Amino acid sequence: MTAVRTLLAILIAATLLAAPAAAEDYWKGVEAYRNENYAAALREWQPLADNGDALAQTSLGYMYAKGLGVVRNQATAIRWYRLAAQGNVSAQHNLGDIYARGTGVPQDYAEAAVWYRRAAEQNYPTAQYNLAVLLAEGMGVPRDTVEAYMWLTLAGARNRAEITPDLTAAEIAEGERLVRKWRDEHE
């Protein structure tokens, strides 16, 4: 049931913006998904996804990535996530995860960083954390522990010192300045 809660929590707010008929169909899919009736969820979401609904596209991507009611197929999951990622932060984060892990694609930290950054800039905490780890380790991006510190702080991470242990007081101060600047620009 954790997967159900995760998917619902990610998608619930955005459904309020959907057109009334599409929102009703989407919620029928959510109810079916919640009841683990994945075939019914697929029937509700497929037409919406085909018509460009980013929430339905993200939901189908998740179903294909996990093999819920469909044969697990990373290529299809990626296709749906890419379509949804034009405006859906969850799809952007999920693409980052796919590339970071090399799930169905060659592992590509640079591509993961691109997708994590897109989601991180929209204040998605998990993407902020994941981007920070890539920055701290220099995986797919130039190593930048000050920027990593900034993203860790924005993500609410409590283990910043474990990920960026060698920061000087001046670098921490710079990281905190970047946090304030980011918040001023995005909140």
Side-chain angles (χ1 to χ4, degrees), residues 169-187:
E171 289 170 325
I172 291 171
E174 176 62 11
E176 291 295 336
R177 185 191 70 75
L178 291 173
V179 167
R180 287 189 301 278
K181 179 181 178 206
W182 191 91
R183 285 184 173 146
D184 287 345
E185 294 172 357
H186 294 89
E187 294 178 351

Side-chain angles (χ1 to χ4, degrees), residues 9-136:
I10 291 169
L11 302 173
I12 203 162
T15 60
L16 299 174
L17 302 174
E24 184 178 324
D25 291 343
Y26 184 79
W27 280 105
K28 287 179 187 175
V30 167
E31 186 61 30
Y33 185 95
R34 189 178 298 149
N35 292 320
E36 297 182 13
N37 185 348
Y38 303 123
L42 185 66
R43 279 194 305 276
E44 295 297 334
W45 290 338
Q46 185 73 55
L48 297 172
D50 290 339
N51 286 320
D53 184 290
L55 289 171
Q57 291 169 339
T58 302
S59 298
L60 289 184
Y62 187 81
M63 290 177 72
Y64 278 98
K66 300 296 181 186
L68 300 172
V70 295
V71 174
R72 187 174 184 194
N73 185 318
Q74 285 303 106
T76 302
I78 291 167
R79 182 174 63 83
W80 284 118
Y81 285 148
R82 281 196 177 278
L83 288 169
Q86 302 316 307
N88 185 284
V89 68
S90 298
Q92 293 164 2
H93 173 263
N94 292 347
L95 281 169
D97 279 349
I98 285 170
Y99 283 101
R101 294 181 181 136
T103 311
V105 297
Q107 190 173 45
D108 185 342
Y109 292 120
E111 187 70 12
V114 167
W115 291 108
Y116 284 149
R117 186 174 297 278
R118 285 182 69 181
E121 289 173 351
Q122 295 174 72
N123 208 19
Y124 196 88
T126 308
Q128 292 171 332
Y129 184 89
N130 292 339
L131 177 59
V133 170
L134 295 180
L135 286 161

